[in-house]
Amino acid sequence: DVKVTQSSRYLVKRTGEKVFLECVQDMDHENMFWYRQDPGLGLRLIYFSYDVKMKEKGDIPEGYSVSREKKERFSLILESASTNQTSMYLCASRVSTGNYEQYFGPGTRLTVT
Amino acid sequence: AQSVTQLDSHVSVSEGTPVLLRCNYSSSYSPSLFWYVQHPNKGLQLLLKYTSAATLVKGINGFEAEFKKSETSFHLTKPSAHMSDAAEYFCVVSDRGGYNKLIFGAGTRLAVHP
């Protein structure tokens, strides 16, 4: 079974803090994705990576950055957390750029106070 | 540009009755379409996908969806709801413009009553 894990299920941070969300997949997938999920908005793509050290902006990259130094790990970074970044963050991975299934982690619910 | 509209934000059914979750899409290409399910406090799981083969697609847990190009629809159905079907369901289209990114609908929350 493909497994995508995220470092924390729940996280509480203060405004202005630097926040790291980590995602690890164990199936040697090339592509990895970060989404945020908000009620009534579905999932929105923040950033994705199609290979190691490669990244592409998604639909809502402002206020976020990413890092992919190893194939199995994809990190989302909030340089200076703000209250409007309070959300559920979901990581996913996929085998290639074809129309293949994305496998999702359990999510990290981040609260910024 | 591709987009997805889920026509109902909430659907409530009784156990044992049929389920219908409606989805319309907009796509410049021949689309790939998916339904994902998210149970409370869980990640998303793929229910089924359409990738230009048979228009009636069968998925896990008794769900199926029919691709209707003339209506630009991809509705999800199940003949008989079970309590364990209560979850949030997302209709998704693949953006063939580049990297096959997924574009999600806003979601439909399904409640199943005894």
Side-chain angles (χ1 to χ4, degrees), chain A:
Chain A
D1 271 357
V2 174
K3 194 163 186 182
V4 180
T5 57
Q6 296 183 230
S7 50
S8 306
R9 290 301 304 274
Y10 300 93
L11 208 52
V12 180
K13 295 293 183 180
R14 293 192 181 274
T15 301
E17 278 193 84
K18 191 169 186 175
V19 181
F20 292 87
L21 303 182
E22 304 284 342
C23 175
V24 177
Q25 51 94 4
D26 66 358
M27 283 301 290
D28 202 36
H29 286 171
E30 292 84 5
N31 301 166
M32 296 187 75
F33 304 81
W34 274 108
Y35 296 88
R36 64 176 283 174
Q37 181 181 10
D38 299 288
L41 296 177
L43 275 70
R44 293 178 291 167
L45 182 64
I46 304 170
Y47 265 98
F48 67 101
S49 169
Y50 51 91
D51 209 340
V52 177
K53 297 191 186 294
M54 301 296 188
K55 61 184 180 184
E56 290 284 338
K57 292 181 179 179
D59 300 314
I60 52 164
E62 297 77 20
Y64 303 94
S65 62
V66 291
S67 173
R68 189 149 180 225
E69 296 298 316
K70 293 184 178 181
K71 193 173 188 179
E72 68 271 17
R73 188 179 297 270
F74 191 34
S75 302
L76 180 68
I77 303 155
L78 287 65
E79 295 289 341
S80 177
S82 64
T83 55
N84 63 12
Q85 292 177 311
T86 291
S87 187
M88 171 70 86
Y89 289 87
L90 291 166
C91 174
S93 72
R94 182 178 66 187
V95 67
S96 78
T97 56
N99 284 315
Y100 298 107
E101 174 183 358
Q102 288 189 21
Y103 294 86
F104 285 82
T108 295
R109 185 167 294 282
L110 173 66
T111 302
V112 182
T113 62

Side-chain angles (χ1 to χ4, degrees), chain B:
Chain B
Q2 284 78 2
S3 66
V4 173
T5 303
Q6 292 185 243
L7 299 169
D8 307 289
S9 59
H10 291 83
V11 170
S12 181
V13 300
S14 298
E15 191 175 20
T17 64
V19 175
L20 170 64
L21 305 183
R22 299 182 295 165
C23 172
N24 287 110
Y25 70 90
S26 171
S27 176
S28 303
Y29 306 92
S30 180
S32 291
L33 294 156
F34 308 78
W35 276 97
Y36 278 83
V37 61
Q38 185 180 34
H39 291 276
N41 299 315
K42 296 284 181 68
L44 275 73
Q45 179 185 19
L46 181 69
L47 271 181
L48 51 80
K49 63 182 178 182
Y50 166 77
T51 55
S52 74
T55 56
L56 183 62
V57 182
K58 294 189 183 297
I60 61 171
N61 301 333
F63 285 94
E64 62 183 38
E66 187 171 7
F67 173 71
K68 292 187 176 180
K69 186 175 180 178
S70 61
E71 298 176 10
T72 62
S73 70
F74 190 57
H75 302 333
L76 182 69
T77 60
K78 183 173 181 177
S80 177
H82 191 272
M83 296 295 288
S84 60
D85 293 329
E88 188 152 26
Y89 293 79
F90 294 95
C91 183
V92 184
V93 65
S94 177
D95 177 4
R96 295 197 178 194
Y99 297 111
N100 292 304
K101 294 182 293 182
L102 298 185
I103 299 164
F104 284 77
T108 298
R109 186 165 296 277
L110 175 66
V112 182
H113 301 288

